[in-house]
């Protein structure tokens, strides 16, 4: 009988894998070299992840969970501040030396999927859940249900595009000016709501409302 998976050990292993991939990238990922780089046998990886596809799926879920937890903790929810303040705080966090390699990894993953070199539902599902998360944040800030998801998609796409621009060009001043415009747009969309009552963060994964 196979030994049951330890959820905590699996999460710790995923965090180590993400740290490795943030430095080395996902292209050419293979289970055996990855296990050797982490100081484990291949059997350790295959115990927790049946194959490479399951590993990639788990990586994306873990990245999404970590990002949601951090975004929900950013200032701008319970304090009643604007949604723009959340976007600005998120931008500053993503550009820290600590997290920027993970941002590069996420864009690599999305680029591989867009180029047809990462088949499956992993990335589409992640992008869909990201849209639902931001849409719920917009609803919390007073944006009507019938436009929240559409505007969330626009915010996410603009934000990701600005990240790619900065990662490619390094032009901080120009990109930051565009981020300021994106922040202003979010505040226009949510301005009426932010003057009423302090919003609460969107629900965590597993809650009944839409979310990651």
């Amino acid at each position: 009988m196979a030994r049951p998976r330890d959820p905590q050990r699996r999460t710790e292993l995923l965090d180590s894998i993400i740290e490795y991939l943030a430095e080395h990238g996902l292209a050419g990922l293979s289970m055996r070299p990855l296990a050797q780089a982490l100081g484990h046998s291949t059997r350790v990886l295959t115990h927790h992840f049946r194959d490479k596809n399951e590993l990639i799926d788990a990586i994306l879920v873990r990245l999404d969970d970590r990002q949601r937890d951090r975004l929900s903790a950013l200032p701008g929810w319970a304090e009643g501040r604007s949604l723009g303040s959340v976007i600005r705080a998120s931008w500053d966090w993503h550009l820290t030396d600590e997290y920027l390699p993970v941002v590069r990894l996420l864009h690599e993953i999305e680029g591989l999927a867009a180029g047809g070199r990462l088949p499956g539902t992993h990335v589409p599902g992640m992008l869909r859940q990201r849209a639902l998360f931001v849409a719920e944040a917009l609803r919390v800030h007073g944006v009507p249900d019938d436009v929240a998801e559409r505007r969330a998609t626009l915010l996410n796409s603009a934000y990701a595009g600005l990240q790619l621009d900065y990662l490619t060009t390094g032009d901080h001043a120009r990109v930051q000016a565009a981020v300021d415009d994106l922040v202003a747009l979010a505040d226009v969309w949510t301005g009426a709501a932010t003057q009423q009552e302090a919003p609460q963060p969107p629900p965590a994964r597993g809650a009944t409302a839409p979310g990651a």
Side-chain angles (χ1 to χ4, degrees):
M1 182 175 177
R3 176 166 54 94
R5 295 175 176 178
D6 179 344
Q8 182 176 347
R9 178 64 185 126
R10 188 174 189 266
T11 298
E12 292 170 353
L13 191 57
L14 277 171
D15 286 338
S16 296
I17 292 169
I18 289 169
E19 184 178 347
Y20 173 83
L21 294 178
E23 181 179 353
H24 298 280
L26 184 71
L29 175 65
S30 179
M31 298 288 271
R32 185 183 299 276
L34 174 62
Q36 291 175 345
L38 297 176
H40 297 300
S41 68
T42 307
R43 289 181 61 185
V44 171
L45 291 186
T46 55
H47 172 70
H48 292 280
F49 317 100
R50 285 192 302 270
D51 52 30
K52 181 178 172 179
N53 285 337
E54 184 177 302
L55 173 61
I56 292 174
D57 192 25
I59 289 168
L60 292 179
V61 170
R62 179 59 180 157
L63 283 169
D64 214 25
D65 284 344
R66 288 185 0 177
Q67 178 143 293
R68 284 173 188 283
D69 290 345
R70 179 61 184 263
L71 290 176
S72 295
L74 289 175
W77 302 113
E79 297 86 343
R81 289 159 56 184
S82 71
L83 184 62
S85 69
V86 179
I87 295 172
R88 193 180 301 279
S90 172
W91 180 266
D92 292 341
W93 164 52
H94 282 148
L95 264 61
T96 60
D97 291 341
E98 176 186 4
Y99 201 77
L100 195 57
V102 177
V103 172
R104 293 183 187 277
L105 174 62
L106 282 166
H107 283 296
E108 180 191 2
I109 290 170
E110 292 170 17
L112 289 170
R117 292 188 290 159
L118 191 61
T121 61
H122 315 302
V123 176
M126 180 178 69
L127 295 179
R128 172 65 175 161
Q129 293 302 325
R130 190 183 297 169
L132 291 176
F133 177 81
V134 175
E136 183 62 20
L138 288 167
R139 291 187 187 98
V140 164
H141 282 77
V143 174
D145 288 349
D146 59 338
V147 298
E149 191 170 333
R150 184 173 76 239
R151 291 184 175 179
T153 300
L154 178 57
L155 282 177
N156 284 344
S157 297
Y159 188 96
L162 290 170
Q163 280 186 338
L164 280 172
D165 192 325
Y166 176 74
L167 290 172
T168 303
T169 68
D171 191 338
H172 182 272
R174 177 177 56 82
V175 175
Q176 186 61 55
V179 172
D180 292 342
D181 284 349
L182 187 64
V183 166
L185 177 61
D187 284 342
V188 167
W189 285 345
T190 60
T194 56
Q195 297 174 8
Q196 295 173 5
E197 61 181 14
Q200 297 298 317
R205 179 185 294 274
T208 55

